[in-house]
């Protein structure tokens, strides 16, 4: 253990008393921490088919790290499925989750329990259990035990949520630092908006948000134009869509009629 | 090479050839049977990653093209009964509005999903089974199949139909009946379609064949004519109210479907009425089986996004 990190831990220990959640602290590592994301802006055009965001940075030696890429938070209305009359699978109730991130892609250098105690991870919002307690607490409705588990399955099936244990690579860097790197795969279904990539550091059960960088996902070109028209001028968009459909339909009809005439 | 294209309203990238192929298959069925094909295409689009609301709305948009193309082909062949189509359409609009009210009432009472799904399965199962066995019997009986199946068995319905006032001759269909019949049946199909959230072509076609006694070839063209107006209305409403029409998705689908619709209309002319009916019955039964399996097999996740029916 370096003298720098030992002193960091001492400072952290002092700070702990003043913090609401034990183990969430400033580790005093500000000066040597860095993070770079590439690309920092994602343009969604007609050829967009998902993108891999490369995250690189430096953290103090001896730390574990977690890199979280998460999207804007919103409420999500869901329906539960269950058996009706003992054999028919149908909707059996509704539940609304509040403060749900649109995307949650987490990579860690070690298994979650090795990073910090659950209450520290919960405070930092690192890991599915942390996300669960936040989402369930904010819901105004009764949430069944299996609801969040099934919700995770749903999000994972769309590649919008994922957890990669060992997804953060740690390598020795200059002056006793560590180089961190991870890849954050954003699927084609990535909603547009402001994202944030966060780098967390963990040592001896204490965790800290070391860096956060914004990540912009925005439509460009035809994607942006069509989307704007659909959202802001719905009636005009609908009429245009019908006119073009009618035109293509009738022209094809005409073309086929001519072709069959020639064939006769 | 990746042939995916990003759909701006659906918010997902889908393979362009897959969409063209799906459009082609559904357009073919549309031209062949006079159905919009939404009951088939919408679940397929959902399966390949289009959000349910966008799938249903964009589907309506592409059906406008397929039904315009199909109506044109059938009109040239003289197999569209415009008079009957307009009366059914008026009934459909009245029934559709009533159906929207009915669905609100069902949702208030709870159990709406249950009622809708069971109605759907029973409806498809009943229509499909009846059409299948009736056409099979006619096909086995050889030329007897070309005769209108109803003449031999006067029922309560037939007696009622004969006694209704305002009888009108529909030249293209070569039937004389009370104008109230297509109007009331239009209301019924419109209401059922609204409750089940579908265009209603696959209910309208059997209604025209069995209850209005229209010849099968006129049924296909007239149904397409009616679907053209219904889907135009739905597309504009969805675009204005819900902003869920993905024009790029509809455009790719419709390039496939207009070609498919022309081919379907050509094949339709070569098959006799009972061959067409038995094929339609098989497709209706296949959709019913798919829905039934969806009800009986445990879902992959026990939670789903609301509004995803």
């Amino acid at each position: 253990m370096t003298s720098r990190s030992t002193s960091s831990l001492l400072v952290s220990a002092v700070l702990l008393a003043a913090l609401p959640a034990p183990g969430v602290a400033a580790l005093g590592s500000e000066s040597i921490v860095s993070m770079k994301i590439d690309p920092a802006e994602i343009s969604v055009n007609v050829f967009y088919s998902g993108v891999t965001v490369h995250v690189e940075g430096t953290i103090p030696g001896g730390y574990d790290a977690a890199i979280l890429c998460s999207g804007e938070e919103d409420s999500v209305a869901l329906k539960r499925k269950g058996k009706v009359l003992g054999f028919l699978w149908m909707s059996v109730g509704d539940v609304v989750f509040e403060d749900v991130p649109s995307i949650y892609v987490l990579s860690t250098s070690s298994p979650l329990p090795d990073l910090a105690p659950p209450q520290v991870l919960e405070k930092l919002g690192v890991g599915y259990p942390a996300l669960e307690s936040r989402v369930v607490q904010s819901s105004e409705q009764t949430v069944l035990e299996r609801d969040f588990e099934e919700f995770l399955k749903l999000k994972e099936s769309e590649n919008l949520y994922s957890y990669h244990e060992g997804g953060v690579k740690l390598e020795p860097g200059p002056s006793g630092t560590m180089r961190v790197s991870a890849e954050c795969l954003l699927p084609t279904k990535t909603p547009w908006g402001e994202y944030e990539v966060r780098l967390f550091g963990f040592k001896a059960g204490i965790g800290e948000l070391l860096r956060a960088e914004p990540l912009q996902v925005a439509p460009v070109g035809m994607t942006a134009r069509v989307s704007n028209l659909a959202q802001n001028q719905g009636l005009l968009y609908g009429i245009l869509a019908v006119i073009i459909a009618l035109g293509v339909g009738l022209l094809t009809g005409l073309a086929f009629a001519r072709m069959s005439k020639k064939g006769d | 090479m990746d042939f995916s294209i990003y759909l701006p309203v659906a918010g997902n990238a889908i393979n362009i050839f897959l969409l063209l192929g799906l459009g082609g298959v559904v357009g073919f069925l549309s031209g062949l049977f006079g159905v919009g094909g939404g009951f088939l295409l919408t679940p397929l689009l959902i399966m390949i990653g289009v959000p349910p609301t966008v799938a249903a709305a964009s589907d309506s948009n592409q059906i406008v093209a397929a039904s315009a193309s199909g109506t044109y082909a059938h009109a040239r062949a003289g197999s569209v009964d415009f008079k009957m189509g307009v009366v059914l359409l008026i009934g459909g609009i009245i029934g559709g509005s009533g159906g929207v009210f009915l669905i609100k009432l069902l949702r208030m009472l709870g159990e709406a999903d249950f009622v809708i799904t069971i109605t759907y399965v029973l409806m498809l199962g009943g229509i499909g089974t009846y059409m299948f066995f009736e056409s099979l019997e006619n096909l086995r009986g050889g030329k007897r199949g070309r005769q209108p199946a109803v003449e031999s068995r006067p029922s309560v319905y037939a007696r009622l139909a004969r006694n209704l006032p305002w009888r009108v001759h529909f030249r293209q269909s070569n039937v004389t009946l009370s104008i109230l019949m297509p109007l009331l049946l239009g209301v019924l199909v419109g209401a059922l379609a609204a409750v089940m959230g579908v265009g209603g072509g696959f209910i309208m076609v059997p209604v025209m064949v069995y209850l209005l006694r229209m010849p099968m070839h006129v049924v296909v063209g007239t149904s397409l004519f009616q679907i053209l107006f219904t889907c135009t209305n739905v597309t504009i409403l969805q675009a204005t109210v819900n902003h869920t029409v993905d024009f790029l998705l509809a455009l790719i689908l419709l390039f496939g479907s207009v070609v498919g619709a022309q081919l379907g209309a050509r094949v339709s002319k070569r098959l006799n009425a009972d061959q067409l009916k038995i094929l339609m019955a098989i497709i209706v039964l296949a959709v019913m089986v798919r829905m039934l399996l969806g009800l009986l097999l445990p879902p992959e996740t026990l939670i789903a996004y609301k509004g995803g029916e």
Side-chain angles (χ1 to χ4, degrees):
Chain A
M1 187 182 282
T2 62
S3 61
R4 181 165 194 141
S5 57
T6 313
S7 61
S8 298
L9 284 176
L10 280 172
V11 172
S12 306
V14 173
L15 283 171
L16 267 179
L19 286 167
V24 180
L27 291 167
S29 45
E30 186 65 23
S31 56
I32 50 167
V33 172
S34 67
M35 182 174 73
K36 199 178 86 182
I37 57 172
D38 180 39
E41 278 184 20
I42 298 167
S43 303
V44 179
N45 58 25
V46 283
F47 303 111
Y48 176 77
S49 58
V51 74
T52 303
V53 178
H54 301 276
V55 185
E56 282 178 2
T58 315
I59 59 169
Y63 278 54
D64 265 315
I67 291 173
L68 174 65
C69 178
S70 61
E72 287 170 3
E73 293 180 354
D74 204 354
S75 63
V76 179
L78 301 154
K79 56 183 181 183
R80 293 191 189 102
K81 290 181 188 172
K83 278 189 178 178
V84 175
L85 304 176
F87 68 102
L88 296 173
W89 287 94
M90 305 196 70
S91 301
V92 289
D94 296 341
V95 63
V96 178
F97 285 159
E98 304 289 343
D99 306 330
V100 179
S102 57
I103 283 217
Y104 189 90
V105 180
L106 175 68
S107 301
T108 58
S109 57
S110 300
L112 282 174
D114 295 352
L115 294 181
Q119 61 270 32
V120 175
L121 296 173
E122 189 178 318
K123 194 71 194 170
L124 294 170
V126 173
Y128 287 157
L131 190 61
E132 179 177 7
S133 47
R134 183 152 49 105
V135 166
V136 171
Q137 272 167 23
S138 62
S139 175
E140 289 172 3
Q141 294 167 302
T142 315
V143 178
L144 302 180
E145 206 172 297
R146 66 161 202 223
D147 283 349
F148 189 78
E149 195 184 318
E150 294 297 324
F151 171 70
L152 281 184
K153 273 195 218 168
L154 178 68
K155 284 284 192 182
E156 286 190 332
S157 70
E158 299 176 292
N159 297 320
L160 294 172
Y161 281 26
S162 58
Y163 168 52
H164 311 275
E165 188 181 294
V168 174
K169 302 278 176 264
L170 294 176
E171 288 169 350
S175 316
T177 58
M178 301 283 277
R179 268 197 286 265
V180 292
S181 64
E183 288 187 340
C184 173
L185 178 68
L186 297 183
T188 47
K189 266 182 113 169
T190 304
W192 309 333
E194 294 283 344
Y195 288 68
E196 198 171 46
V197 180
R198 278 173 273 183
L199 170 64
F200 298 92
F202 298 92
K203 189 164 189 177
I206 297 170
E208 182 191 1
L209 172 63
L210 298 173
R211 273 284 184 279
E213 292 288 340
L215 173 67
Q216 180 93 22
V217 181
V220 293
M222 190 170 82
T223 306
R225 281 195 292 275
V226 172
S227 160
N228 278 340
L229 195 62
Q231 286 302 322
N232 305 322
Q233 287 173 287
L235 181 62
L236 175 68
Y237 177 82
I239 291 171
L240 281 176
V242 165
I243 290 173
I244 295 171
L246 274 175
V248 175
L250 291 175
L251 281 177
T252 321
L254 202 68
F256 267 79
R258 291 221 169 138
M259 270 160 58
S260 62
K261 248 187 192 173
K262 276 184 186 170
D264 294 340
Chain B
M1 196 176 164
D2 187 11
F3 290 102
S4 292
I5 189 155
Y6 186 84
L7 306 168
V9 178
N12 204 355
I14 314 266
N15 186 291
I16 195 165
F17 292 110
L18 184 62
L19 293 176
L20 283 171
L22 281 180
V25 170
V26 173
F28 181 77
L29 294 178
S30 171
L32 190 57
F33 303 121
V35 293
F39 68 101
L40 205 64
L41 187 55
T42 304
L44 288 173
L45 288 176
I46 295 169
M47 223 182 283
I48 61 170
V50 178
T53 46
V54 179
S58 313
D59 202 10
S60 299
N61 190 189
Q62 79 82 23
I63 292 171
V64 171
S67 54
S69 171
T71 304
Y72 183 84
H74 282 281
R76 278 177 58 88
S79 54
V80 180
D81 190 331
F82 289 102
K83 193 173 19 171
M84 185 73 90
V86 168
V87 179
L88 285 167
L89 193 63
I90 294 169
I93 292 166
I94 299 168
S97 315
V100 171
F101 175 74
L102 190 65
I103 194 84
K104 266 192 185 164
L105 195 72
L106 281 172
R107 288 209 193 280
M108 268 163 59
L109 297 170
E111 305 296 331
D113 288 341
F114 182 75
V115 173
I116 293 166
T117 318
I118 295 296
T119 312
Y120 214 137
V121 169
L122 292 178
M123 202 73 206
L124 290 172
I127 291 172
T129 311
Y130 182 79
M131 274 180 88
F132 183 83
F133 285 107
E134 195 254 358
S135 317
L136 191 68
E137 202 177 302
N138 288 342
L139 283 172
R140 277 182 181 160
K143 285 191 173 179
R144 212 155 43 83
R146 311 276 161 89
Q147 304 294 318
V150 214
E151 296 297 329
S152 55
R153 42 191 175 85
S155 58
V156 178
Y157 172 78
R159 286 201 300 276
L160 180 75
R162 269 202 289 269
N163 292 326
L164 281 173
W166 302 314
R167 291 174 73 80
V168 176
H169 181 67
F170 293 88
R171 195 173 55 83
Q172 215 76 38
S173 302
N174 196 24
V175 290
T176 304
L177 40 83
S178 164
I179 202 158
L180 287 176
M181 280 179 60
L183 194 68
L184 292 176
L185 289 170
V187 170
L188 182 75
V189 175
L192 273 172
V195 168
M196 301 196 302
V198 291
F202 69 98
I203 315 173
M204 186 54 92
V205 169
V207 161
M208 287 181 185
V209 174
Y210 295 111
L211 300 181
L212 297 175
R213 329 288 198 228
M214 291 166 64
M216 188 63 190
H217 291 105
V218 181
V219 164
V220 175
T222 311
S223 174
L224 285 175
F225 167 72
Q226 200 198 228
I227 286 167
L228 174 62
F229 285 92
T230 317
C231 285
T232 297
N233 182 37
V234 170
T235 305
I236 294 176
L237 274 179
Q238 292 277 24
T240 314
V241 181
N242 298 324
H243 312 284
T244 44
V245 175
D246 194 314
F247 178 63
L248 198 57
L249 170 62
L251 194 66
I252 300 166
L253 288 172
L254 70 84
F255 276 123
S257 73
V258 286
V259 177
Q262 289 294 326
L263 297 176
R266 283 177 175 211
V267 175
S268 170
K269 276 193 280 184
R270 292 185 187 174
L271 295 175
N272 76 34
D274 289 308
Q275 287 168 330
L276 273 177
K277 275 193 273 180
I278 206 161
L279 285 175
M280 169 89 174
I282 291 169
I283 289 171
V284 168
L285 287 173
V287 176
M288 190 273 287
V289 169
R290 183 195 148 272
M291 285 208 69
L292 203 59
L293 287 178
L295 285 175
L296 297 175
L297 300 176
E300 278 179 30
T301 55
L302 295 179
I303 218 156
Y305 295 112
K306 211 174 166 188
E309 285 96 334

